[in-house]
Amino acid sequence: MSQKIIEMRNIKKSYFVGKPNELEILHGIDLDIYTNDFVAIVGESGSGKSTLMNIIGALDTPTEGSYILDGVDVLHASNKQLANIRNKKVGFVFQNFNLISRTSALKNVELPMLYAKVSSAKRHDRAKELLTLVGMEGRMKHMPNELSGGQKQRVAIARAISNNPAILLADEPTGALDSENSRVVMDIFHDLHDNYGMTIVLITHSQQLAKEAQKVITISDGKIVNIESR
């Protein structure tokens, strides 16, 4: 039976709180995501989806509401606990890859495991295994500037799942890629979901990309306006 990974209730996010220009971006979001879900959160620019993504990933905190992530009360977590959540419970994939430019693909994938205090031998072996999984076994020693955009994103995906996170959170992961490399990246996500049981949350403005998910959550003006299961 599926376990609830994300439970959000009445999530609100405001800026300039208590000032004349106070602005509420999220207006009471309720969201449940379960193990092995493949969910797309779709919305136009300014809809609030990036703000919601930052809260899901514990990069930001809501003004009101409750948020349980894999059994952890995020809103009452200490800074150390939040850092642990970002390192171990959430794997991030961003549009601009965010690879460390002066180190190899292999070392980039090892980095989250280094922070998680995984032994050198184990993180080396796992990084090699994950790079092979995403089809980068021939580019492990290459530096990011020696890789194409599609190859960089594959390295970024391997890095994101290195600590076996509870969720893989992907923000416009194909936004900087051509159609061929976009297809490769999406096929990797489907493989991780279908064959490895990964829980994936995809943030996108693209309706076409969102249609590849099992469930599409549409956000507009800071509210969830539609949930469609496929």
Side-chain angles (χ1 to χ4, degrees):
M1 188 173 179
S2 293
Q3 175 186 348
K4 194 178 291 186
I5 294 291
I6 288 173
E7 182 178 358
M8 288 185 163
R9 292 293 178 267
N10 195 36
I11 293 292
K12 297 181 180 180
K13 180 64 180 180
S14 297
Y15 295 95
F16 314 112
V17 176
K19 298 181 179 179
N21 59 339
E22 181 172 336
L23 179 65
E24 188 173 271
I25 303 296
L26 298 179
H27 310 298
I29 298 288
D30 293 332
L31 179 63
D32 292 322
I33 294 175
Y34 294 82
T35 52
N36 197 220
D37 273 356
F38 190 164
V39 175
I41 299 175
V42 63
E44 299 298 329
S45 179
S47 63
K49 68 181 186 301
S50 294
T51 301
L52 180 59
M53 181 210 72
N54 287 334
I55 292 173
I56 290 173
L59 299 171
D60 198 1
T61 54
T63 311
E64 294 182 34
S66 64
Y67 177 25
I68 307 298
L69 170 60
D70 197 27
V72 177
D73 184 346
V74 176
L75 273 64
H76 295 96
S78 66
N79 287 335
K80 184 177 181 180
Q81 288 172 316
L82 290 173
N84 187 64
I85 287 169
R86 292 189 288 266
N87 180 239
K88 295 182 179 179
K89 289 190 179 292
V90 183
F92 296 95
V93 179
F94 296 105
Q95 179 175 336
N96 59 354
F97 321 125
N98 285 5
L99 299 181
I100 306 300
S101 61
R102 295 183 179 181
T103 191
S104 68
L106 187 69
K107 293 297 183 183
N108 264 281
V109 177
E110 285 188 42
L111 193 58
M113 294 183 282
L114 176 65
Y115 292 144
K117 301 187 181 344
V118 176
S119 71
S120 176
K122 286 185 178 179
R123 66 177 185 257
H124 183 78
D125 288 346
R126 178 154 173 80
K128 286 169 60 177
E129 174 188 340
L130 292 174
L131 284 169
T132 300
L133 176 66
V134 298
M136 289 294 291
E137 61 272 20
R139 297 286 189 273
M140 293 187 187
K141 295 182 180 180
H142 285 60
M143 307 295 275
N145 65 1
E146 299 173 312
L147 302 175
S148 69
Q151 291 170 336
K152 289 177 186 177
Q153 196 60 298
R154 282 188 272 167
V155 173
I157 293 170
R159 179 187 59 187
I161 61 176
S162 60
N163 282 328
N164 194 28
I167 63 166
L168 179 60
L169 184 59
D171 181 27
E172 301 285 7
T174 65
L177 306 179
D178 59 26
S179 58
E180 182 178 352
N181 280 300
S182 295
R183 183 68 267 154
V184 171
V185 166
M186 290 308 298
D187 285 346
I188 290 172
F189 286 142
H190 285 295
D191 181 45
L192 291 172
H193 172 256
D194 296 341
N195 298 317
Y196 295 89
M198 183 69 67
T199 304
I200 299 174
V201 180
L202 173 69
I203 312 292
T204 183
H205 71 279
S206 169
Q207 293 286 348
Q208 181 178 355
L209 206 63
K211 288 177 181 177
E212 299 206 25
Q214 287 179 323
K215 183 185 294 183
V216 179
I217 299 171
T218 303
I219 184 170
S220 179
D221 296 327
K223 297 179 180 178
I224 291 176
V225 295
N226 189 54
I227 299 177
E228 180 182 356
S229 297
R230 301 180 181 278

